[in-house]
Amino acid sequence: MGERHLLTGNHAASYGAKLSRAEVISAYPITPQTTIVELLSEMVASGELDARYITVESEHSAMAAVIGASAAGCRTYTATSGQGLALMHEMLHWAVGARTPVVLTNVTRAMAPGWSIWSEQTDFLSQRDVGWMMLFAETVQEAQDFVVWMYRVAEQVFLPGMVAMDAFILSHTSEPLIVHDQAAVDAYLPPFDPLYTLDPAEPRAYGGLVNRDHYFEIRYKAFEAMERAGRLLVEAGEEFGEALGHRYGPVDPFMMDDAEIVFVSAGAMTSNVRYAVTLLRERGIKAGLLRLVAFRPFPFEEVRRLLEGRKVAVLDRNMSSGHSGIFAEEIRSALSMGAAPTEVYGYVLGIGGRDIRVETVLDVADDLMSRDEPARTLYVGVKGLPIGPARADREIARLAPLEEVSP
Amino acid sequence: MRFGIPLEERIEPGNLGCQGCGGALSMRMVLKGLSDDTVAVIPACCWSIIDGPWPVHALQVPVFHTAFETAAIMATGIKAAKLQQGKDTTVMAWAGDGGTFDIGLQALSGAAERNEDIIYVCYDNEAYMNTGIQRSSSTPIGTWTTTTPDERPETRPKKNIMEIMAAHRIPYAATATPAYPDDLLAKVEIARDLRGTRFLHILSACPPGWKMGSGDAIAAMRAAVDSRVFPLYEVRDGLDVTITRWPEHEVDPEAYFAMQGRFRPLLDDPEELARVRRLIDRQWETLVARHREHHPEPAAG
Ligand SMILES: Cc1ncc(C[n+]2csc(CCOP(=O)(O)OP(=O)(O)O)c2C)c(N)n1
Ligand SMILES: [Mg+2]
């Protein structure tokens, strides 16, 4: 079933949209997302994909266009990255309120200034509270499959969903994958059955003025739908395995049974973390890995069950300045509700696309084993500085580089 | 005189418009000229309120409310879906001057440049009225608004949105006002039957914002046309200009300004007023020259 291909993460995402039979696509170019939409526009132009492609003048408009098309009853897709996702922000909220199950692929990219096209998760995680489902792909296969999986759930709960993949490490790296058989995907993903279609025979108004006596209930329904989405993601992920040969779930544990120290990570860097865990095991260290696949809805149960009582290093390629790495915050909050005491160490690394190598993870392991007090935020790999917390007592120097950094 | 205004209404009698709201009247007139197979897109503006709070609404066509700057693109997305579904529904974006001249200009320009198959209507009350009368780039020189107070009134001319839209070489762009409903309806019907981006710029009085009595709305909109402050014309394919109403009995621009409290700073400043008069004359002459270019016979009037 399906065919083996060698594709980049970006082209895999395009195939995800194609296999899902997206009907209206609108997007705006931004490195490193661009090749996703280039391939899709070729597919539409050649007739390989029966869809309309709207070449808008901005990401804000791309998101508005797909919301409009979804509200009128079509399956819609878009893709963006970094600045583009930030520009979409207002309309990301709109997609939730309008209950339009748009699916978006975001190639995670560091935010300017300074201009950086390299991998970092902060762009994606900054959209945490808009009310979209959020998944992190680790492989090219997942970059494709998560689009299909996401539609399957999104269209049952009428909520939009975004899939993250790392800039370059995944977006521009070719890996073998199975491009599924169209008939098998069709059997897994039925046609979109919209909530409403803006049919002039039923002249209703959508999204207008709503007073304080109704707004809460309208939002509550969306909150409830997101809770429901948690169950459906699990079910649809298992069915994906039955129908298409790859089983997915909101978390992906590795060597967790007897693990004493556990890494938590998400996205493509997880592959190096997984390898580091096997090396640590060879050294006799009981290491494990919990990969977060779903970020919204957050897999509270799984996180609590798998992490409680262990020594946890959360690896954040992102930062909520003034607080912690964002996964670290979320993991601590999941563990605050009835879990046995668990030591959570927040490590922030790989900012702006700085490499996260297997050795980097091994350095974190050494640091973790040397500590016995949970730490909020430990920065890994800042030039000239050892792994450690930010220096709050540091004088603010005008326009001076970190003096430890060699020019 | 017999008006060619259809009897059908596509708006319920009750809505939240203020008394004398030109925008509410514009909507009523425009919908008369469209078909039942129409969807309206409304960004943030007075009309987000006028249509009514959930669960009621006044329009008898579906309304999709959208963000302030997205009228044109939201209409585009809806139209794309309708076409993909094999339907030829008319999708009308309906925005204020703020949503058109200012924050929505980028998306509008994008849609117009691609010649998206939508009707875009700007009901122009020459300020941000929803938020309480702040200037927009449509606010004329010498106007008082809450952000251009008497001590520092508007100093720049109203942006010429028609020239901007014509520069996109769209099939149809026209000015209108509900105070001349026959002219307005004729333009709506032309727009309805064309394809591509069609732009209607409708001057729509706002009695509270223009600081005048609600009973003066129609007279003010007529005076705007007859004083040549707001000429009625259309532009086909971005180049072919036709003046559709030649003022029969000319009104002095000053008389138009004097009807409205918002122009008090202008009326108090003779130099500025002289500048505005020259501007009105020059704009009219330019328009007439362009009309003559397209209609070599001297037009009546
Ligand atoms: C992004 C954004 N900025 C600001 C607003 C607040 N806002 C709502 S309506 C409006 C003014 C609308 O002016 P206009 O388009 O001229 O329509 P009018 O209210 O005059 O009919 C503003 C500033 C908003 N809704 N969204
Ligand atoms: Mg206005």
Side-chain angles (χ1 to χ4, degrees):
Chain A
M1 207 164 49
E3 244 183 69
R4 210 169 167 76
H5 284 259
L6 186 70
L7 291 180
T8 61
N10 274 357
H11 284 173
S14 313
Y15 273 90
K18 177 185 176 242
L19 288 170
S20 303
R21 295 188 187 277
E23 296 168 288
V24 175
I25 297 163
S26 184
Y28 193 79
I30 181 167
T31 304
Q33 153 268 30
T34 311
T35 55
I36 301 179
V37 295
E38 282 176 350
L39 181 57
L40 281 170
S41 67
E42 275 170 33
M43 288 171 168
V44 173
S46 70
E48 197 185 331
L49 174 59
D50 178 15
R52 285 181 184 261
Y53 186 99
I54 309 172
T55 52
V56 280
E57 84 305 328
S58 72
E59 289 87 354
H60 194 281
S61 283
M63 184 43 58
V66 293
I67 291 168
S70 181
C74 281
R75 181 171 290 161
T76 60
Y77 178 77
T78 188
T80 190
S81 180
Q83 309 296 127
L85 187 65
L87 186 58
M88 283 180 180
H89 181 79
E90 181 193 27
M91 300 317 290
L92 296 178
H93 281 282
W94 213 280
V96 173
R99 303 300 295 270
T100 46
V102 172
V103 172
L104 173 156
T105 296
N106 183 67
V107 184
T108 55
R109 163 179 162 167
M111 295 299 295
W115 284 116
S116 169
I117 55 174
W118 303 104
S119 185
E120 193 188 307
Q121 300 157 336
T122 312
D123 62 342
F124 190 72
L125 294 171
S126 293
Q127 307 306 328
R128 185 184 68 173
D129 301 332
V130 294
W132 284 51
M133 292 183 283
M134 302 172 85
L135 301 177
F136 274 90
E138 181 190 345
T139 63
V140 164
Q141 183 75 51
E142 291 181 355
Q144 171 192 266
D145 291 359
F146 284 10
V147 172
V148 180
W149 183 27
M150 190 65 104
Y151 276 117
R152 171 69 189 271
V153 179
E155 292 175 2
Q156 291 178 75
V157 294
F158 301 103
L159 289 177
M162 49 178 97
V163 178
M165 87 167 110
D166 301 64
F168 299 104
I169 304 163
L170 199 48
S171 67
H172 286 63
T173 303
S174 294
E175 278 179 2
L177 83 164
I178 302 294
V179 174
H180 303 292
D181 186 37
Q182 183 68 58
V185 175
D186 290 346
Y188 173 77
L189 180 66
F192 177 34
D193 181 11
L195 266 185
Y196 59 95
T197 60
L198 303 178
D199 179 2
E202 282 183 45
R204 301 181 203 283
Y206 300 89
L209 194 63
V210 51
N211 290 324
R212 282 174 295 179
D213 45 359
H214 295 297
Y215 184 95
F216 194 175
E217 285 69 26
I218 291 170
R219 287 288 156 171
Y220 173 78
K221 284 187 176 183
F223 304 150
E224 205 167 57
M226 183 62 100
E227 297 296 326
R228 173 96 190 112
R231 305 256 180 94
L232 292 175
L233 265 177
V234 172
E235 275 173 41
E238 276 164 15
E239 279 175 46
F240 203 107
E242 288 152 28
L244 297 158
H246 296 81
R247 195 160 167 272
Y248 297 119
V251 294
D252 177 20
F254 177 69
M255 296 203 163
M256 285 293 292
D257 291 347
D258 60 344
E260 287 164 3
I261 66 166
V262 179
F263 296 97
V264 175
S265 94
M269 71 189 210
T270 309
S271 305
N272 279 355
V273 181
R274 195 179 286 107
Y275 187 62
V277 166
T278 59
L279 294 181
L280 290 167
R281 286 274 172 175
E282 281 169 19
R283 286 198 218 155
I285 296 163
K286 288 186 175 165
L289 161 66
L290 180 64
R291 172 167 74 114
L292 287 179
V293 175
F295 181 67
R296 284 293 181 273
F298 193 83
F300 279 97
E301 273 311 302
E302 293 85 343
V303 164
R304 195 185 50 74
R305 182 165 46 76
L306 290 163
L307 294 185
E308 84 177 322
R310 316 208 204 206
K311 195 169 185 184
V312 178
V314 183
L315 305 180
D316 274 297
R317 184 171 224 150
N318 64 76
M319 180 63 196
S320 176
S321 194
H323 197 300
S324 313
I326 295 166
F327 289 120
E329 286 176 33
E330 298 265 335
I331 298 279
R332 289 191 199 107
S333 110
L335 290 168
S336 72
M337 288 173 300
T342 307
E343 287 181 26
V344 178
Y345 297 74
Y347 289 93
V348 169
L349 71 180
I351 295 298
R354 177 79 40 93
D355 273 349
I356 301 173
R357 298 167 178 273
V358 176
E359 302 81 60
T360 319
V361 183
L362 295 176
D363 287 347
V364 169
D366 287 341
D367 183 82
L368 179 72
M369 289 183 289
S370 73
R371 290 178 192 272
D372 46 20
E373 265 303 287
R376 175 158 64 92
T377 309
L378 300 163
Y379 295 87
V380 181
V382 178
K383 283 185 190 163
L385 296 183
I387 295 177
R391 301 163 301 172
D393 54 355
R394 196 76 184 164
E395 291 288 325
I396 303 295
R398 280 173 195 275
L399 301 178
L402 281 173
E403 64 226 31
E404 295 85 350
V405 179
S406 50
Chain B
M1 184 171 175
R2 220 174 139 261
F3 292 120
I5 298 169
L7 289 175
E8 297 105 289
E9 299 286 359
R10 291 194 179 81
I11 176 168
E12 307 283 355
N15 64 54
L16 296 186
C18 303
Q19 275 187 24
C21 173
L25 191 56
S26 295
M27 177 68 93
R28 180 177 167 212
M29 292 296 157
V30 168
L31 286 181
K32 280 172 175 282
L34 298 177
S35 80
D36 287 332
D37 191 15
T38 299
V39 173
V41 172
I42 301 183
C45 60
C46 281
W47 253 104
S48 351
I49 312 298
I50 298 171
D51 193 44
W54 189 87
V56 297
H57 84 116
L59 299 196
Q60 292 167 10
V61 298
V63 176
F64 194 77
H65 290 274
T66 190
F68 197 11
E69 60 282 57
T70 61
I73 185 60
M74 193 55 79
T76 297
I78 292 170
K79 181 69 186 193
K82 295 287 183 190
L83 288 171
Q84 181 68 11
Q85 295 158 342
K87 295 175 192 153
D88 194 30
T89 305
T90 298
V91 184
M92 174 185 72
W94 181 275
D97 47 292
T100 302
F101 292 56
D102 293 341
I103 199 166
L105 187 61
Q106 173 177 320
L108 173 58
S109 175
E113 166 273 317
R114 296 188 304 274
N115 200 24
E116 298 291 353
D117 190 20
I118 58 171
I119 298 182
Y120 189 105
V121 183
C122 171
Y123 73 102
D124 180 6
N125 49 27
E126 302 192 319
Y128 301 163
M129 296 309 184
N130 169 301
T131 39
I133 325 174
Q134 295 82 31
R135 83 172 288 269
S136 75
S137 59
S138 170
T139 303
I141 302 189
T143 307
W144 166 93
T145 68
T146 57
T147 51
T148 48
D150 285 345
E151 303 74 23
R152 188 175 44 82
E154 179 57 48
T155 57
R156 294 290 302 153
K158 179 183 176 77
K159 186 190 279 183
N160 193 320
I161 194 72
M162 283 289 286
E163 285 180 11
I164 293 171
M165 295 313 294
H168 290 77
R169 305 294 180 250
I170 52 174
Y172 193 69
T175 63
T177 164
Y180 286 113
D182 45 344
D183 177 84
L184 169 57
L185 259 295
K187 287 167 176 167
V188 172
E189 283 163 14
I190 292 167
R192 180 192 64 201
D193 297 336
L194 286 169
R195 284 290 166 272
T197 304
R198 294 143 286 166
F199 180 77
L200 297 176
H201 178 198
I202 307 183
L203 184 73
S204 302
C206 169
W210 291 11
K211 298 288 165 226
M212 64 181 187
S214 54
D216 296 333
I218 301 289
M221 290 187 281
R222 286 193 179 179
V225 174
D226 295 334
S227 62
R228 295 163 178 169
V229 168
F230 190 85
L232 297 184
Y233 64 104
E234 59 183 30
V235 187
R236 302 233 185 187
D237 301 317
L239 293 167
D240 299 340
V241 173
T242 303
I243 294 174
T244 59
R245 185 172 180 94
W246 298 80
E248 279 163 26
H249 28 76
E250 257 177 67
V251 171
D252 189 315
E254 205 173 323
Y256 168 64
F257 300 139
M259 297 171 81
Q260 306 164 51
R262 65 170 170 154
F263 287 118
R264 196 180 48 224
L266 179 64
L267 296 171
D268 286 350
D269 183 344
E271 253 173 61
E272 190 78 319
L273 187 59
R275 209 157 69 87
V276 168
R277 280 178 175 286
R278 275 197 300 280
L279 190 66
I280 293 167
D281 287 346
R282 292 271 291 123
Q283 288 190 164
W284 174 252
E285 284 157 20
T286 309
L287 197 62
V288 170
R290 292 196 63 192
H291 173 95
R292 299 249 189 265
E293 216 176 277
H294 182 51
H295 303 273
E297 308 287 301

